[in-house]
PDB file of all heavy atoms in Angstrom:
ATOM      1  N   TYR Z 177     -39.409   1.134  27.381  1.00  0.00           N
ATOM      2  CA  TYR Z 177     -38.390   1.656  28.298  1.00  0.00           C
ATOM      3  C   TYR Z 177     -38.938   2.596  29.365  1.00  0.00           C
ATOM      4  O   TYR Z 177     -38.613   2.480  30.536  1.00  0.00           O
ATOM      5  CB  TYR Z 177     -37.277   2.350  27.508  1.00  0.00           C
ATOM      6  CG  TYR Z 177     -36.571   1.400  26.583  1.00  0.00           C
ATOM      7  CD1 TYR Z 177     -36.975   1.267  25.270  1.00  0.00           C
ATOM      8  CD2 TYR Z 177     -35.548   0.591  27.056  1.00  0.00           C
ATOM      9  CE1 TYR Z 177     -36.357   0.359  24.424  1.00  0.00           C
ATOM     10  CE2 TYR Z 177     -34.918  -0.307  26.223  1.00  0.00           C
ATOM     11  CZ  TYR Z 177     -35.331  -0.425  24.903  1.00  0.00           C
ATOM     12  OH  TYR Z 177     -34.731  -1.323  24.083  1.00  0.00           O
ATOM     13  N   LEU Z 178     -39.769   3.549  28.943  1.00  0.00           N
ATOM     14  CA  LEU Z 178     -40.200   4.570  29.899  1.00  0.00           C
ATOM     15  C   LEU Z 178     -41.305   4.072  30.827  1.00  0.00           C
ATOM     16  O   LEU Z 178     -41.656   4.736  31.790  1.00  0.00           O
ATOM     17  CB  LEU Z 178     -40.665   5.827  29.153  1.00  0.00           C
ATOM     18  CG  LEU Z 178     -39.547   6.515  28.361  1.00  0.00           C
ATOM     19  CD1 LEU Z 178     -40.105   7.664  27.543  1.00  0.00           C
ATOM     20  CD2 LEU Z 178     -38.441   6.997  29.276  1.00  0.00           C
ATOM     21  N   LEU Z 179     -41.859   2.884  30.553  1.00  0.00           N
ATOM     22  CA  LEU Z 179     -42.907   2.349  31.423  1.00  0.00           C
ATOM     23  C   LEU Z 179     -42.391   1.199  32.268  1.00  0.00           C
ATOM     24  O   LEU Z 179     -43.127   0.564  32.995  1.00  0.00           O
ATOM     25  CB  LEU Z 179     -44.094   1.870  30.573  1.00  0.00           C
ATOM     26  CG  LEU Z 179     -44.788   2.953  29.752  1.00  0.00           C
ATOM     27  CD1 LEU Z 179     -45.888   2.355  28.886  1.00  0.00           C
ATOM     28  CD2 LEU Z 179     -45.351   4.026  30.659  1.00  0.00           C
ATOM     29  N   ASP Z 180     -41.107   0.919  32.155  1.00  0.00           N
ATOM     30  CA  ASP Z 180     -40.524  -0.219  32.845  1.00  0.00           C
ATOM     31  C   ASP Z 180     -39.703   0.280  34.038  1.00  0.00           C
ATOM     32  O   ASP Z 180     -38.767   1.055  33.871  1.00  0.00           O
ATOM     33  CB  ASP Z 180     -39.625  -0.965  31.850  1.00  0.00           C
ATOM     34  CG  ASP Z 180     -39.105  -2.282  32.413  1.00  0.00           C
ATOM     35  OD1 ASP Z 180     -38.725  -2.321  33.601  1.00  0.00           O
ATOM     36  OD2 ASP Z 180     -39.069  -3.258  31.655  1.00  0.00           O
ATOM     37  N   PRO Z 181     -40.055  -0.137  35.259  1.00  0.00           N
ATOM     38  CA  PRO Z 181     -39.365   0.371  36.451  1.00  0.00           C
ATOM     39  C   PRO Z 181     -37.855   0.155  36.416  1.00  0.00           C
ATOM     40  O   PRO Z 181     -37.106   0.889  37.040  1.00  0.00           O
ATOM     41  CB  PRO Z 181     -39.990  -0.420  37.601  1.00  0.00           C
ATOM     42  CG  PRO Z 181     -41.249  -0.975  37.076  1.00  0.00           C
ATOM     43  CD  PRO Z 181     -41.115  -1.081  35.598  1.00  0.00           C
ATOM     44  N   VAL Z 182     -37.411  -0.864  35.690  1.00  0.00           N
ATOM     45  CA  VAL Z 182     -35.970  -1.124  35.629  1.00  0.00           C
ATOM     46  C   VAL Z 182     -35.284  -0.214  34.611  1.00  0.00           C
ATOM     47  O   VAL Z 182     -34.192   0.305  34.855  1.00  0.00           O
ATOM     48  CB  VAL Z 182     -35.706  -2.609  35.258  1.00  0.00           C
ATOM     49  CG1 VAL Z 182     -34.215  -2.865  35.086  1.00  0.00           C
ATOM     50  CG2 VAL Z 182     -36.286  -3.523  36.333  1.00  0.00           C
ATOM     51  N   TRP Z 183     -35.943   0.016  33.487  1.00  0.00           N
ATOM     52  CA  TRP Z 183     -35.282   0.699  32.372  1.00  0.00           C
ATOM     53  C   TRP Z 183     -35.553   2.197  32.291  1.00  0.00           C
ATOM     54  O   TRP Z 183     -34.857   2.910  31.571  1.00  0.00           O
ATOM     55  CB  TRP Z 183     -35.653   0.031  31.042  1.00  0.00           C
ATOM     56  CG  TRP Z 183     -35.034  -1.315  30.953  1.00  0.00           C
ATOM     57  CD1 TRP Z 183     -35.665  -2.517  31.050  1.00  0.00           C
ATOM     58  CD2 TRP Z 183     -33.647  -1.604  30.805  1.00  0.00           C
ATOM     59  NE1 TRP Z 183     -34.766  -3.540  30.972  1.00  0.00           N
ATOM     60  CE2 TRP Z 183     -33.513  -3.016  30.812  1.00  0.00           C
ATOM     61  CE3 TRP Z 183     -32.496  -0.819  30.663  1.00  0.00           C
ATOM     62  CZ2 TRP Z 183     -32.280  -3.648  30.685  1.00  0.00           C
ATOM     63  CZ3 TRP Z 183     -31.267  -1.440  30.537  1.00  0.00           C
ATOM     64  CH2 TRP Z 183     -31.171  -2.844  30.551  1.00  0.00           C
ATOM     65  N   ALA Z 184     -36.567   2.688  33.017  1.00  0.00           N
ATOM     66  CA  ALA Z 184     -36.923   4.110  32.884  1.00  0.00           C
ATOM     67  C   ALA Z 184     -35.770   5.018  33.310  1.00  0.00           C
ATOM     68  O   ALA Z 184     -35.445   5.990  32.625  1.00  0.00           O
ATOM     69  CB  ALA Z 184     -38.178   4.416  33.696  1.00  0.00           C
ATOM     70  N   LEU Z 185     -35.131   4.691  34.433  1.00  0.00           N
ATOM     71  CA  LEU Z 185     -34.045   5.551  34.911  1.00  0.00           C
ATOM     72  C   LEU Z 185     -32.831   5.541  33.973  1.00  0.00           C
ATOM     73  O   LEU Z 185     -32.360   6.601  33.570  1.00  0.00           O
ATOM     74  CB  LEU Z 185     -33.640   5.197  36.345  1.00  0.00           C
ATOM     75  CG  LEU Z 185     -32.576   6.125  36.912  1.00  0.00           C
ATOM     76  CD1 LEU Z 185     -33.185   7.143  37.865  1.00  0.00           C
ATOM     77  CD2 LEU Z 185     -31.456   5.376  37.602  1.00  0.00           C
ATOM     78  N   PRO Z 186     -32.343   4.350  33.569  1.00  0.00           N
ATOM     79  CA  PRO Z 186     -31.245   4.369  32.590  1.00  0.00           C
ATOM     80  C   PRO Z 186     -31.614   5.129  31.317  1.00  0.00           C
ATOM     81  O   PRO Z 186     -30.762   5.832  30.745  1.00  0.00           O
ATOM     82  CB  PRO Z 186     -31.024   2.879  32.285  1.00  0.00           C
ATOM     83  CG  PRO Z 186     -31.530   2.168  33.473  1.00  0.00           C
ATOM     84  CD  PRO Z 186     -32.635   2.990  34.042  1.00  0.00           C
ATOM     85  N   ALA Z 187     -32.870   5.028  30.887  1.00  0.00           N
ATOM     86  CA  ALA Z 187     -33.284   5.740  29.674  1.00  0.00           C
ATOM     87  C   ALA Z 187     -33.144   7.244  29.881  1.00  0.00           C
ATOM     88  O   ALA Z 187     -32.627   7.959  29.016  1.00  0.00           O
ATOM     89  CB  ALA Z 187     -34.735   5.382  29.320  1.00  0.00           C
ATOM     90  N   LEU Z 188     -33.578   7.735  31.048  1.00  0.00           N
ATOM     91  CA  LEU Z 188     -33.474   9.168  31.318  1.00  0.00           C
ATOM     92  C   LEU Z 188     -32.013   9.610  31.469  1.00  0.00           C
ATOM     93  O   LEU Z 188     -31.650  10.701  31.032  1.00  0.00           O
ATOM     94  CB  LEU Z 188     -34.251   9.539  32.582  1.00  0.00           C
ATOM     95  CG  LEU Z 188     -35.769   9.568  32.463  1.00  0.00           C
ATOM     96  CD1 LEU Z 188     -36.375  10.266  33.665  1.00  0.00           C
ATOM     97  CD2 LEU Z 188     -36.216  10.272  31.195  1.00  0.00           C
ATOM     98  N   VAL Z 189     -31.204   8.767  32.080  1.00  0.00           N
ATOM     99  CA  VAL Z 189     -29.770   9.083  32.196  1.00  0.00           C
ATOM    100  C   VAL Z 189     -29.181   9.278  30.797  1.00  0.00           C
ATOM    101  O   VAL Z 189     -28.445  10.231  30.536  1.00  0.00           O
ATOM    102  CB  VAL Z 189     -29.011   7.964  32.946  1.00  0.00           C
ATOM    103  CG1 VAL Z 189     -27.507   8.149  32.819  1.00  0.00           C
ATOM    104  CG2 VAL Z 189     -29.414   7.942  34.411  1.00  0.00           C
ATOM    105  N   LEU Z 190     -29.573   8.376  29.905  1.00  0.00           N
ATOM    106  CA  LEU Z 190     -29.088   8.447  28.525  1.00  0.00           C
ATOM    107  C   LEU Z 190     -29.504   9.770  27.871  1.00  0.00           C
ATOM    108  O   LEU Z 190     -28.694  10.460  27.245  1.00  0.00           O
ATOM    109  CB  LEU Z 190     -29.646   7.256  27.738  1.00  0.00           C
ATOM    110  CG  LEU Z 190     -29.108   7.061  26.333  1.00  0.00           C
ATOM    111  CD1 LEU Z 190     -27.637   6.698  26.376  1.00  0.00           C
ATOM    112  CD2 LEU Z 190     -29.888   5.986  25.600  1.00  0.00           C
ATOM    113  N   VAL Z 191     -30.774  10.134  28.050  1.00  0.00           N
ATOM    114  CA  VAL Z 191     -31.276  11.373  27.437  1.00  0.00           C
ATOM    115  C   VAL Z 191     -30.564  12.597  28.023  1.00  0.00           C
ATOM    116  O   VAL Z 191     -30.100  13.470  27.285  1.00  0.00           O
ATOM    117  CB  VAL Z 191     -32.802  11.501  27.626  1.00  0.00           C
ATOM    118  CG1 VAL Z 191     -33.281  12.857  27.119  1.00  0.00           C
ATOM    119  CG2 VAL Z 191     -33.522  10.389  26.909  1.00  0.00           C
ATOM    120  N   GLU Z 192     -30.463  12.644  29.336  1.00  0.00           N
ATOM    121  CA  GLU Z 192     -29.802  13.778  29.993  1.00  0.00           C
ATOM    122  C   GLU Z 192     -28.345  13.896  29.532  1.00  0.00           C
ATOM    123  O   GLU Z 192     -27.859  14.976  29.233  1.00  0.00           O
ATOM    124  CB  GLU Z 192     -29.832  13.616  31.519  1.00  0.00           C
ATOM    125  CG  GLU Z 192     -31.157  14.004  32.157  1.00  0.00           C
ATOM    126  CD  GLU Z 192     -31.304  15.500  32.369  1.00  0.00           C
ATOM    127  OE1 GLU Z 192     -30.285  16.221  32.305  1.00  0.00           O
ATOM    128  OE2 GLU Z 192     -32.439  15.949  32.583  1.00  0.00           O
ATOM    129  N   GLY Z 193     -27.655  12.762  29.494  1.00  0.00           N
ATOM    130  CA  GLY Z 193     -26.256  12.760  29.086  1.00  0.00           C
ATOM    131  C   GLY Z 193     -26.102  13.192  27.638  1.00  0.00           C
ATOM    132  O   GLY Z 193     -25.262  14.038  27.307  1.00  0.00           O
ATOM    133  N   TRP Z 194     -26.951  12.643  26.800  1.00  0.00           N
ATOM    134  CA  TRP Z 194     -26.933  12.963  25.370  1.00  0.00           C
ATOM    135  C   TRP Z 194     -27.177  14.453  25.155  1.00  0.00           C
ATOM    136  O   TRP Z 194     -26.520  15.084  24.342  1.00  0.00           O
ATOM    137  CB  TRP Z 194     -28.020  12.127  24.698  1.00  0.00           C
ATOM    138  CG  TRP Z 194     -28.296  12.410  23.259  1.00  0.00           C
ATOM    139  CD1 TRP Z 194     -27.655  11.856  22.195  1.00  0.00           C
ATOM    140  CD2 TRP Z 194     -29.303  13.263  22.721  1.00  0.00           C
ATOM    141  NE1 TRP Z 194     -28.211  12.332  21.027  1.00  0.00           N
ATOM    142  CE2 TRP Z 194     -29.223  13.195  21.323  1.00  0.00           C
ATOM    143  CE3 TRP Z 194     -30.283  14.093  23.291  1.00  0.00           C
ATOM    144  CZ2 TRP Z 194     -30.068  13.914  20.487  1.00  0.00           C
ATOM    145  CZ3 TRP Z 194     -31.118  14.805  22.459  1.00  0.00           C
ATOM    146  CH2 TRP Z 194     -31.004  14.711  21.070  1.00  0.00           C
ATOM    147  N   LYS Z 195     -28.103  15.014  25.939  1.00  0.00           N
ATOM    148  CA  LYS Z 195     -28.456  16.425  25.771  1.00  0.00           C
ATOM    149  C   LYS Z 195     -27.296  17.351  26.134  1.00  0.00           C
ATOM    150  O   LYS Z 195     -27.070  18.350  25.474  1.00  0.00           O
ATOM    151  CB  LYS Z 195     -29.677  16.744  26.639  1.00  0.00           C
ATOM    152  CG  LYS Z 195     -29.977  18.221  26.853  1.00  0.00           C
ATOM    153  CD  LYS Z 195     -31.266  18.610  26.184  1.00  0.00           C
ATOM    154  CE  LYS Z 195     -31.697  20.032  26.467  1.00  0.00           C
ATOM    155  NZ  LYS Z 195     -30.772  21.043  25.960  1.00  0.00           N
ATOM    156  N   SER Z 196     -26.552  16.998  27.195  1.00  0.00           N
ATOM    157  CA  SER Z 196     -25.512  17.920  27.679  1.00  0.00           C
ATOM    158  C   SER Z 196     -24.113  17.610  27.176  1.00  0.00           C
ATOM    159  O   SER Z 196     -23.189  18.384  27.406  1.00  0.00           O
ATOM    160  CB  SER Z 196     -25.474  17.899  29.213  1.00  0.00           C
ATOM    161  OG  SER Z 196     -26.731  18.179  29.720  1.00  0.00           O
ATOM    162  N   MET Z 197     -23.953  16.459  26.538  1.00  0.00           N
ATOM    163  CA  MET Z 197     -22.627  16.032  26.107  1.00  0.00           C
ATOM    164  C   MET Z 197     -21.885  17.131  25.348  1.00  0.00           C
ATOM    165  O   MET Z 197     -20.684  17.331  25.546  1.00  0.00           O
ATOM    166  CB  MET Z 197     -22.771  14.803  25.224  1.00  0.00           C
ATOM    167  CG  MET Z 197     -21.847  13.682  25.558  1.00  0.00           C
ATOM    168  SD  MET Z 197     -22.198  12.321  24.459  1.00  0.00           S
ATOM    169  CE  MET Z 197     -22.697  11.101  25.638  1.00  0.00           C
ATOM    170  N   GLY Z 198     -22.598  17.853  24.499  1.00  0.00           N
ATOM    171  CA  GLY Z 198     -21.983  18.883  23.672  1.00  0.00           C
ATOM    172  C   GLY Z 198     -21.273  19.948  24.486  1.00  0.00           C
ATOM    173  O   GLY Z 198     -20.182  20.394  24.125  1.00  0.00           O
ATOM    174  N   VAL Z 199     -21.880  20.357  25.595  1.00  0.00           N
ATOM    175  CA  VAL Z 199     -21.275  21.396  26.434  1.00  0.00           C
ATOM    176  C   VAL Z 199     -19.943  20.898  26.982  1.00  0.00           C
ATOM    177  O   VAL Z 199     -18.916  21.586  26.912  1.00  0.00           O
ATOM    178  CB  VAL Z 199     -22.196  21.763  27.611  1.00  0.00           C
ATOM    179  CG1 VAL Z 199     -21.516  22.763  28.517  1.00  0.00           C
ATOM    180  CG2 VAL Z 199     -23.507  22.311  27.108  1.00  0.00           C
ATOM    181  N   PHE Z 200     -19.979  19.676  27.507  1.00  0.00           N
ATOM    182  CA  PHE Z 200     -18.777  19.109  28.120  1.00  0.00           C
ATOM    183  C   PHE Z 200     -17.683  18.904  27.081  1.00  0.00           C
ATOM    184  O   PHE Z 200     -16.504  19.137  27.341  1.00  0.00           O
ATOM    185  CB  PHE Z 200     -19.130  17.799  28.838  1.00  0.00           C
ATOM    186  CG  PHE Z 200     -19.957  18.032  30.080  1.00  0.00           C
ATOM    187  CD1 PHE Z 200     -21.296  18.367  29.990  1.00  0.00           C
ATOM    188  CD2 PHE Z 200     -19.384  17.946  31.341  1.00  0.00           C
ATOM    189  CE1 PHE Z 200     -22.046  18.610  31.127  1.00  0.00           C
ATOM    190  CE2 PHE Z 200     -20.128  18.188  32.489  1.00  0.00           C
ATOM    191  CZ  PHE Z 200     -21.465  18.516  32.376  1.00  0.00           C
ATOM    192  N   MET Z 201     -18.109  18.487  25.890  1.00  0.00           N
ATOM    193  CA  MET Z 201     -17.172  18.304  24.792  1.00  0.00           C
ATOM    194  C   MET Z 201     -16.482  19.626  24.434  1.00  0.00           C
ATOM    195  O   MET Z 201     -15.273  19.670  24.197  1.00  0.00           O
ATOM    196  CB  MET Z 201     -17.981  17.786  23.601  1.00  0.00           C
ATOM    197  CG  MET Z 201     -17.250  17.390  22.395  1.00  0.00           C
ATOM    198  SD  MET Z 201     -18.488  17.059  21.121  1.00  0.00           S
ATOM    199  CE  MET Z 201     -18.921  18.714  20.623  1.00  0.00           C
ATOM    200  N   MET Z 202     -17.272  20.708  24.428  1.00  0.00           N
ATOM    201  CA  MET Z 202     -16.713  22.018  24.094  1.00  0.00           C
ATOM    202  C   MET Z 202     -15.725  22.482  25.167  1.00  0.00           C
ATOM    203  O   MET Z 202     -14.712  23.109  24.854  1.00  0.00           O
ATOM    204  CB  MET Z 202     -17.835  23.055  23.959  1.00  0.00           C
ATOM    205  CG  MET Z 202     -18.601  22.935  22.670  1.00  0.00           C
ATOM    206  SD  MET Z 202     -17.576  23.337  21.222  1.00  0.00           S
ATOM    207  CE  MET Z 202     -18.792  23.285  19.935  1.00  0.00           C
ATOM    208  N   VAL Z 203     -16.032  22.181  26.425  1.00  0.00           N
ATOM    209  CA  VAL Z 203     -15.111  22.539  27.505  1.00  0.00           C
ATOM    210  C   VAL Z 203     -13.769  21.846  27.286  1.00  0.00           C
ATOM    211  O   VAL Z 203     -12.707  22.468  27.355  1.00  0.00           O
ATOM    212  CB  VAL Z 203     -15.700  22.153  28.881  1.00  0.00           C
ATOM    213  CG1 VAL Z 203     -14.650  22.314  29.978  1.00  0.00           C
ATOM    214  CG2 VAL Z 203     -16.923  23.001  29.197  1.00  0.00           C
ATOM    215  N   TYR Z 204     -13.823  20.545  26.976  1.00  0.00           N
ATOM    216  CA  TYR Z 204     -12.585  19.804  26.728  1.00  0.00           C
ATOM    217  C   TYR Z 204     -11.863  20.324  25.492  1.00  0.00           C
ATOM    218  O   TYR Z 204     -10.638  20.426  25.467  1.00  0.00           O
ATOM    219  CB  TYR Z 204     -12.879  18.316  26.543  1.00  0.00           C
ATOM    220  CG  TYR Z 204     -13.118  17.587  27.837  1.00  0.00           C
ATOM    221  CD1 TYR Z 204     -14.253  16.818  28.025  1.00  0.00           C
ATOM    222  CD2 TYR Z 204     -12.189  17.646  28.868  1.00  0.00           C
ATOM    223  CE1 TYR Z 204     -14.484  16.136  29.209  1.00  0.00           C
ATOM    224  CE2 TYR Z 204     -12.400  16.977  30.054  1.00  0.00           C
ATOM    225  CZ  TYR Z 204     -13.548  16.224  30.218  1.00  0.00           C
ATOM    226  OH  TYR Z 204     -13.758  15.550  31.380  1.00  0.00           O
ATOM    227  N   LEU Z 205     -12.661  20.638  24.464  1.00  0.00           N
ATOM    228  CA  LEU Z 205     -12.077  21.121  23.220  1.00  0.00           C
ATOM    229  C   LEU Z 205     -11.314  22.420  23.476  1.00  0.00           C
ATOM    230  O   LEU Z 205     -10.207  22.623  22.965  1.00  0.00           O
ATOM    231  CB  LEU Z 205     -13.196  21.347  22.204  1.00  0.00           C
ATOM    232  CG  LEU Z 205     -12.866  21.249  20.729  1.00  0.00           C
ATOM    233  CD1 LEU Z 205     -12.112  19.986  20.402  1.00  0.00           C
ATOM    234  CD2 LEU Z 205     -14.156  21.293  19.916  1.00  0.00           C
ATOM    235  N   ALA Z 206     -11.917  23.285  24.283  1.00  0.00           N
ATOM    236  CA  ALA Z 206     -11.246  24.532  24.652  1.00  0.00           C
ATOM    237  C   ALA Z 206      -9.930  24.214  25.362  1.00  0.00           C
ATOM    238  O   ALA Z 206      -8.905  24.859  25.128  1.00  0.00           O
ATOM    239  CB  ALA Z 206     -12.153  25.366  25.544  1.00  0.00           C
ATOM    240  N   GLY Z 207      -9.943  23.187  26.217  1.00  0.00           N
ATOM    241  CA  GLY Z 207      -8.739  22.791  26.936  1.00  0.00           C
ATOM    242  C   GLY Z 207      -7.687  22.203  26.013  1.00  0.00           C
ATOM    243  O   GLY Z 207      -6.498  22.517  26.117  1.00  0.00           O
ATOM    244  N   LEU Z 208      -8.135  21.361  25.090  1.00  0.00           N
ATOM    245  CA  LEU Z 208      -7.192  20.706  24.173  1.00  0.00           C
ATOM    246  C   LEU Z 208      -6.432  21.719  23.344  1.00  0.00           C
ATOM    247  O   LEU Z 208      -5.260  21.526  23.016  1.00  0.00           O
ATOM    248  CB  LEU Z 208      -7.949  19.752  23.237  1.00  0.00           C
ATOM    249  CG  LEU Z 208      -8.481  18.468  23.848  1.00  0.00           C
ATOM    250  CD1 LEU Z 208      -9.217  17.660  22.793  1.00  0.00           C
ATOM    251  CD2 LEU Z 208      -7.347  17.652  24.443  1.00  0.00           C
ATOM    252  N   GLN Z 209      -7.130  22.816  23.024  1.00  0.00           N
ATOM    253  CA  GLN Z 209      -6.483  23.793  22.144  1.00  0.00           C
ATOM    254  C   GLN Z 209      -5.424  24.599  22.875  1.00  0.00           C
ATOM    255  O   GLN Z 209      -4.698  25.355  22.245  1.00  0.00           O
ATOM    256  CB  GLN Z 209      -7.549  24.679  21.513  1.00  0.00           C
ATOM    257  CG  GLN Z 209      -8.554  23.814  20.772  1.00  0.00           C
ATOM    258  CD  GLN Z 209      -9.315  24.532  19.699  1.00  0.00           C
ATOM    259  OE1 GLN Z 209      -9.446  25.750  19.736  1.00  0.00           O
ATOM    260  NE2 GLN Z 209      -9.828  23.790  18.741  1.00  0.00           N
ATOM    261  N   THR Z 210      -5.331  24.420  24.186  1.00  0.00           N
ATOM    262  CA  THR Z 210      -4.256  25.098  24.911  1.00  0.00           C
ATOM    263  C   THR Z 210      -2.994  24.239  24.969  1.00  0.00           C
ATOM    264  O   THR Z 210      -1.947  24.704  25.382  1.00  0.00           O
ATOM    265  CB  THR Z 210      -4.674  25.420  26.360  1.00  0.00           C
ATOM    266  OG1 THR Z 210      -4.902  24.182  27.047  1.00  0.00           O
ATOM    267  CG2 THR Z 210      -5.929  26.265  26.409  1.00  0.00           C
ATOM    268  N   ILE Z 211      -3.105  22.957  24.564  1.00  0.00           N
ATOM    269  CA  ILE Z 211      -1.932  22.075  24.616  1.00  0.00           C
ATOM    270  C   ILE Z 211      -1.070  22.330  23.385  1.00  0.00           C
ATOM    271  O   ILE Z 211      -1.554  22.243  22.257  1.00  0.00           O
ATOM    272  CB  ILE Z 211      -2.352  20.591  24.660  1.00  0.00           C
ATOM    273  CG1 ILE Z 211      -3.230  20.325  25.887  1.00  0.00           C
ATOM    274  CG2 ILE Z 211      -1.122  19.685  24.679  1.00  0.00           C
ATOM    275  CD1 ILE Z 211      -3.744  18.904  25.970  1.00  0.00           C
ATOM    276  N   PRO Z 212       0.224  22.646  23.584  1.00  0.00           N
ATOM    277  CA  PRO Z 212       1.086  22.921  22.432  1.00  0.00           C
ATOM    278  C   PRO Z 212       1.239  21.687  21.547  1.00  0.00           C
ATOM    279  O   PRO Z 212       1.489  20.586  22.040  1.00  0.00           O
ATOM    280  CB  PRO Z 212       2.423  23.310  23.064  1.00  0.00           C
ATOM    281  CG  PRO Z 212       2.308  23.072  24.522  1.00  0.00           C
ATOM    282  CD  PRO Z 212       0.906  22.824  24.867  1.00  0.00           C
ATOM    283  N   THR Z 213       1.083  21.884  20.236  1.00  0.00           N
ATOM    284  CA  THR Z 213       1.106  20.744  19.315  1.00  0.00           C
ATOM    285  C   THR Z 213       2.487  20.100  19.235  1.00  0.00           C
ATOM    286  O   THR Z 213       2.597  18.934  18.908  1.00  0.00           O
ATOM    287  CB  THR Z 213       0.681  21.172  17.897  1.00  0.00           C
ATOM    288  OG1 THR Z 213       1.340  22.404  17.603  1.00  0.00           O
ATOM    289  CG2 THR Z 213      -0.808  21.346  17.787  1.00  0.00           C
ATOM    290  N   ASN Z 214       3.556  20.870  19.554  1.00  0.00           N
ATOM    291  CA  ASN Z 214       4.887  20.277  19.421  1.00  0.00           C
ATOM    292  C   ASN Z 214       5.125  19.129  20.417  1.00  0.00           C
ATOM    293  O   ASN Z 214       5.951  18.269  20.193  1.00  0.00           O
ATOM    294  CB  ASN Z 214       5.987  21.344  19.524  1.00  0.00           C
ATOM    295  CG  ASN Z 214       5.910  22.118  20.826  1.00  0.00           C
ATOM    296  OD1 ASN Z 214       5.174  21.711  21.747  1.00  0.00           O
ATOM    297  ND2 ASN Z 214       6.652  23.206  20.917  1.00  0.00           N
TER     298      ASN Z 214
END
Side-chain angles (χ1 to χ4, degrees):
Chain Z
Y177 298 93
L178 296 174
L179 298 176
D180 188 319
V182 176
W183 291 108
L185 184 102
L188 286 194
V189 168
L190 188 66
V191 174
E192 280 278 344
W194 173 87
K195 166 113 174 64
S196 305
M197 227 178 242
V199 176
F200 290 75
M201 186 188 78
M202 284 294 186
V203 171
Y204 282 127
L205 207 50
L208 288 179
Q209 303 203 337
T210 64
I211 301 177
T213 44
N214 57 12

